[in-house]
């Protein structure tokens, strides 16, 4: 796959050394663009920093917290900064890197963002934003918000509300072409949901997707808001299959404390239980493009060192071999690894885990969601609305944070001003 013209322009912006905020709706190709940008760069000089441990394991990166020496920010910002600046390893790695990519920036709190910037500036001894590091922040604030222990659930602490965001002098670049679906009517519905607007078009769409015969729903992934719902439903569906149960224990190695962390964040369970004809999900991106994270299919045959899976969408029979996922420390070195087949049962998954996935179909209950962006994340996982089914829904589940929409109005105004000052830019965008 080649970069689209719009992605190429964003790539050129990122290559200037300027700080860039790369955003865009779900499925606009942000992750693919970052992978292309990193192809000729060392992860030692330009690390990818994930907002959560689970995301870090999936992308082969480090967590934002570990890289900047934040820990759990015990004692608040001042004590966190003081502890980090006493750690020679933090100082050393911040002085050695050229820049950082912050993935899923929407899930980094404003306080965390502010503290990390001050640590970077002081560690590098340069009185400029981030001590002169190039910062590329990637994500969509209309998706899942930061989780803060003790935070105000009614007022999200977004990174962009801090003065640090403004002082970073980000050049915002918004990808507007959706690469996941080309269904214009569906895109219109998604854009309304992204803005938290329950229009007649949205209501009609959701009600129409409830009118499908039950027979169509047997092998479609369900998205639940809570993990226990997912685990219960997956076990129920696996038990219904009469074929022999196969158990594949995951092989862990590394430091004991790191193994315990990896068990919390790995896309692989401690043991994978499968049967022939079980519906499974691929939990990795295939290097040669046969599947992506979220592709589903059926287990067709077990072999000694591989499993044959029949992909649902393409009907291709693919050979799936064991894969290793690693937990990296702040220096980018593996401290624990796990090896097993990159498969999980696909009868259900949580909405939080589904962020970043592309599904070939989904059944969603939009009745009791509580986070801004949760409904949008769930609905935007699929490529074809004909493969999307709604169990139930309520208007109160479709919400966004007004601060986010106001922020994106500022982004739009900035880009319009940029195009006005550079006439050639409009046609290129």
């Amino acid at each position: 796959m080649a970069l689209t013209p719009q992605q190429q322009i964003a790539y050129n912006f990122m290559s200037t050394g300027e700080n860039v905020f790369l955003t865009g709706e779900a499925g606009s190709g942000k992750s693919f663009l970052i992978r292309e940008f990193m192809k000729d760069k060392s992860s030692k000089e330009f690390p990818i920093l994930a907002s959560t441990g689970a995301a870090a394991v999936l992308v082969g990166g480090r967590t934002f917290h570990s890289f900047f020496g934040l820990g759990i920010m015990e004692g608040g910002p001042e004590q966190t900064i003081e502890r980090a600046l006493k750690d020679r390893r933090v100082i050393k790695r911040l002085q050695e890197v050229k820049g950082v990519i912050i993935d899923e920036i929407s899930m980094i709190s404003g306080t965390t963002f502010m503290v990390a910037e001050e640590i970077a500036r002081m560690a590098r001894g340069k009185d400029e934003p981030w001590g002169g590091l190039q910062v590329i922040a990637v994500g969509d604030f209309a998706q899942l918000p930061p989780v803060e222990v003790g935070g105000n659930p009614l007022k999200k602490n977004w990174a962009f509300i801090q003065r640090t965001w403004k002082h970073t002098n980000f050049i915002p670049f918004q990808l507007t072409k959706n690469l996941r679906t080309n269904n214009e009517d569906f895109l219109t519905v998604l854009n309304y949901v992204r803005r938290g607007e329950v229009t007649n078009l949205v209501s009609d769409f959701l009600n129409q997707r409830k009118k499908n015969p039950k027979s169509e729903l047997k092998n479609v992934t369900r998205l639940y808001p809570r993990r226990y719902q997912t685990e219960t439903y997956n076990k129920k569906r696996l038990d219904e299959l009469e074929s022999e149960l196969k158990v594949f224990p995951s092989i862990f190695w590394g430091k004991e404390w790191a193994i315990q962390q990896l068990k919390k964040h790995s896309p692989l369970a401690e043991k994978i239980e499968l049967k022939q004809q079980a519906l499974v999900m691929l939990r990795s991106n295939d290097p040669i493009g046969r599947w992506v994270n979220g592709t589903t299919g059926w287990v067709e045959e077990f072999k000694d060192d591989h499993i044959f899976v029949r992909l649902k969408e393409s009907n291709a029979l693919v050979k799936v071999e064991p894969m290793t996922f690693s937990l990296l420390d702040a220096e980018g070195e593996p401290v624990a690894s796990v090896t097993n087949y990159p498969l999980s049962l696909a009868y259900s998954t949580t909405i939080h885990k589904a962020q970043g996935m592309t599904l070939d179909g989904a059944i969603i209950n939009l009745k009791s969601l509580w986070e801004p962006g949760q409904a949008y994340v769930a609905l935007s996982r699929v490529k074809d609305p004909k493969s999307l089914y709604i169990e139930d829904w309520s208007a109160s589940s479709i919400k966004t944070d007004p601060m986010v929409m106001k922020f994106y109005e500022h982004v739009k105004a900035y880009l319009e001003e940029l195009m006005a000052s550079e006439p050639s830019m409009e046609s290129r965008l």
Side-chain angles (χ1 to χ4, degrees), residues 273-288:
E273 298 184 340
L274 301 174
K275 293 181 180 181
Q276 235 175 344
Q277 294 309 308
L279 183 67
V280 293
M281 180 181 296
L282 278 299
R283 295 309 319 275
S284 63
N285 291 314
D286 180 38
I288 59 175

Side-chain angles (χ1 to χ4, degrees), residues 218-398:
K218 189 168 180 63
N219 289 307
V220 179
T221 302
R222 293 173 181 264
L223 296 184
Y224 286 111
R226 301 192 185 278
R227 188 173 66 180
Y228 79 86
Q229 297 170 301
T230 293
E231 293 172 347
T232 301
Y233 187 75
N234 274 333
K235 185 177 187 309
K236 172 180 176 292
R237 292 299 305 274
L238 186 66
D239 289 345
E240 291 172 358
L241 296 175
E242 295 181 357
S243 48
E244 180 187 356
L245 178 69
K246 299 280 189 179
V247 180
F248 303 92
S250 294
I251 300 171
F252 290 88
W253 67 93
K255 300 178 179 178
E256 185 56 36
W257 66 267
I259 289 175
Q260 295 307 314
Q261 286 295 309
L262 184 57
K263 286 180 178 180
K264 293 180 184 178
H265 302 307
S266 169
L268 308 181
E270 291 188 45
K271 62 179 179 179
I272 299 173
E273 298 184 340
L274 301 174
K275 293 181 180 181
Q276 235 175 344
Q277 294 309 308
L279 183 67
V280 293
M281 180 181 296
L282 278 299
R283 295 309 319 275
S284 63
N285 291 314
D286 180 38
I288 59 175
R290 293 169 298 173
W291 66 76
V292 296
N293 180 25
T295 296
T296 59
W298 292 274
V299 173
E300 190 149 310
E301 188 177 4
F302 296 102
K303 293 293 187 181
D304 289 341
D305 59 354
H306 60 272
I307 297 173
F308 281 115
V309 174
R310 179 74 65 181
L311 300 184
K312 185 178 175 185
E313 187 175 29
S314 67
N315 201 40
L317 185 65
V318 297
K319 178 181 177 181
V320 180
E321 298 176 303
M323 182 176 179
T324 297
F325 293 86
S326 296
L327 179 70
L328 306 184
D329 65 11
E331 309 302 329
E333 299 297 333
V335 286
S337 296
V338 57
T339 299
N340 207 334
Y341 293 101
L343 298 170
S344 62
L345 291 172
Y347 298 107
S348 65
T349 189
T350 63
I351 294 173
H352 272 74
K353 281 189 177 180
Q355 179 161 289
M357 289 182 182
T358 298
L359 300 175
D360 44 36
I363 304 170
I364 310 170
N365 189 313
L366 299 176
K367 190 70 176 176
S368 302
L369 305 185
W370 62 93
E371 291 280 29
Q374 214 171 359
Y376 174 65
V377 167
L379 291 170
S380 61
R381 295 308 95 199
V382 302
K383 295 183 279 188
D384 185 351
K386 292 178 182 177
S387 301
L388 176 65
Y389 307 93
I390 305 298
E391 276 190 337
D392 202 357
W393 72 280
S394 61
S396 61
S397 287
I398 298 173

